[in-house]
């Protein structure tokens, strides 16, 4: 769980001609000791929370997919838990998840219990972890634009088969694969390719229970050369919930992700 000096993130190089960046923001459980000190849960409760909040094995899915593709996609992987900071949240009042204490810096758990004190100063964590991460993803996208003239950010997530109390939109469909879209950055051909690629996993749905996708803010809503799609794989299709091992089913979404990468490369 704890890690004093683990790197916050890692960009794993792909092929020079690949436009694809597989973004894996929520797969890790590591929490630096200094950050752990600000979390009020005891060790057992924190482990249970990590079971629920971590998109377990998504880094393995992205890695397996990368081995099956040519050209190889680039992979941007968060090496720290989203309980340190969540790099996919807005760091300000634009973030709707602030309503349940889960903005860029979480103060509540998946079950809406106290994780950090309400009056904690978020800025040190945002400055230390959030902003460097955002800048690095922006650089990775800029590199793909410079190299091949476009970038395709595929956001690799998972979600539980049953809704958790923190979910703002947990009453809708929970298909085996949820595809999160953006009206500007998700072109129809990318969505069609994803539906075809993930058909072997099961039914695909749109923007339920989770919507949207990740685009670095400097490109968001302004640069159509950057396309993006969020892939949310329901956890019971490939692992034992909530935080157990992956099963043989992991190879199916990995193959599907590889097929999507090939289709858009």
């Amino acid at each position: 769980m704890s890690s004093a000096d683990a790197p916050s993130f890692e960009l794993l190089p792909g092929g020079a001609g690949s436009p694809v960046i597989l973004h894996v923001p929520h797969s890790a459980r590591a929490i630096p000791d200094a950050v752990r000190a600000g979390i009020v849960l005891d060790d057992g409760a924190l482990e249970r929370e990590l079971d629920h909040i971590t998109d377990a094995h998504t880094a393995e899915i992205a890695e397996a997919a990368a081995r099956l593709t040519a050209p190889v996609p680039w992979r941007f992987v968060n090496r720290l838990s989203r309980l340190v900071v969540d790099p996919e949240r807005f760091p300000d009042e634009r973030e709707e998840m602030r309503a349940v204490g889960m903005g860029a810096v979480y103060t509540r758990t998946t079950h809406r219990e106290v994780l950090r004190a309400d009056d904690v100063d978020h800025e040190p964590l945002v400055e230390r972890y959030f902003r460097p991460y955002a800048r690095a993803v922006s650089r990775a996208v800029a590199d793909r634009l410079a190299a091949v003239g476009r970038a395709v950010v595929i956001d690799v997530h998972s979600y539980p088969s049953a809704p958790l109390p923190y979910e703002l939109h947990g009453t809708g469909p929970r298909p085996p694969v949820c595809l999160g879209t953006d009206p500007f950055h998700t072109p129809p051909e990318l969505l069609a390719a994803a539906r075809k690629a993930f058909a072997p996993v099961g039914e695909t749905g749109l923007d339920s229970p989770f919507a949207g996708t990740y685009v670095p803010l400097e490109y968001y809503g302004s640069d159509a050369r950057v396309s993006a799609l969020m892939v949310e794989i329901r956890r019971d299709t490939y692992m034992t919930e909530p935080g157990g091992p992956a099963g043989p089913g992991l190879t199916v979404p990995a193959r599907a992700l590889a097929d999507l990468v090939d289709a858009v490369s």
Side-chain angles (χ1 to χ4, degrees):
M1 180 200 311
S2 298
S3 177
D5 54 5
S8 298
F9 50 80
E10 186 174 11
L11 178 63
L12 297 157
S18 175
V20 179
I21 300 170
L22 298 180
H23 180 225
V24 188
H26 294 158
S27 65
R29 295 173 69 102
I31 300 174
D33 293 336
V35 179
R36 170 68 180 95
I39 293 174
V40 303
L41 303 179
D42 63 34
D43 287 347
L46 179 54
E47 287 293 336
R48 290 191 295 274
E49 177 61 14
L50 286 166
D51 287 344
H52 289 296
I53 199 64
T54 303
D55 291 354
H57 313 297
T58 49
E60 297 167 49
I61 291 172
E63 181 181 7
R67 290 197 299 265
L68 297 170
T69 60
V72 176
W74 297 65
R75 285 179 287 143
F76 195 103
V77 183
N78 189 4
R79 296 304 186 189
L80 297 180
S81 169
R82 64 197 290 192
L83 297 184
V84 179
V85 295
D86 191 331
E88 294 212 313
R89 303 285 200 242
F90 288 114
D92 52 34
E93 66 281 351
R94 290 173 293 178
E95 180 52 60
E96 70 168 355
M97 294 301 294
R98 287 164 62 105
V100 289
M102 299 179 85
V105 177
Y106 294 0
T107 58
R108 292 293 183 273
T109 70
T110 50
H111 290 74
R112 302 200 181 198
E113 297 168 350
V114 176
L115 180 78
R116 292 182 175 93
D118 285 328
D119 61 355
V120 67
D121 184 0
H122 294 193
E123 183 57 27
L125 290 173
V126 170
E127 180 64 25
R128 170 66 180 85
Y129 297 106
F130 184 94
R131 292 194 181 101
Y133 189 106
R135 288 192 294 266
V137 178
S138 291
R139 286 195 300 270
V141 169
D143 286 345
R144 293 302 85 216
L145 293 176
V148 296
R150 62 189 181 104
V152 184
V153 181
I154 300 175
D155 219 15
V156 185
H157 290 259
S158 70
Y159 76 100
S161 57
L164 290 167
Y166 83 95
E167 294 182 24
L168 294 178
H169 310 288
T171 58
R174 304 180 81 83
V177 179
C178 163
L179 300 175
T181 66
D182 178 86
F184 186 87
H185 290 283
T186 309
E189 58 270 23
L190 175 56
L191 186 56
R195 284 190 180 280
K196 180 179 180 181
F198 279 93
V201 182
E203 178 190 0
T204 59
L206 292 185
D207 295 312
S208 176
F210 298 99
T213 189
Y214 180 77
V215 178
L217 285 177
E218 68 180 273
Y219 299 101
Y220 183 68
S222 62
D223 194 333
R225 297 176 301 164
V226 180
S227 56
L229 180 76
M230 178 171 68
V231 176
E232 292 265 5
I233 306 162
R234 205 177 64 206
R235 292 175 190 159
D236 63 333
T237 65
Y238 71 90
M239 63 172 285
T240 302
E241 295 183 272
L250 183 141
T251 61
V252 180
R255 176 71 263 179
L257 183 59
D259 288 345
L260 174 58
V261 170
D262 282 339
V264 300
S265 293

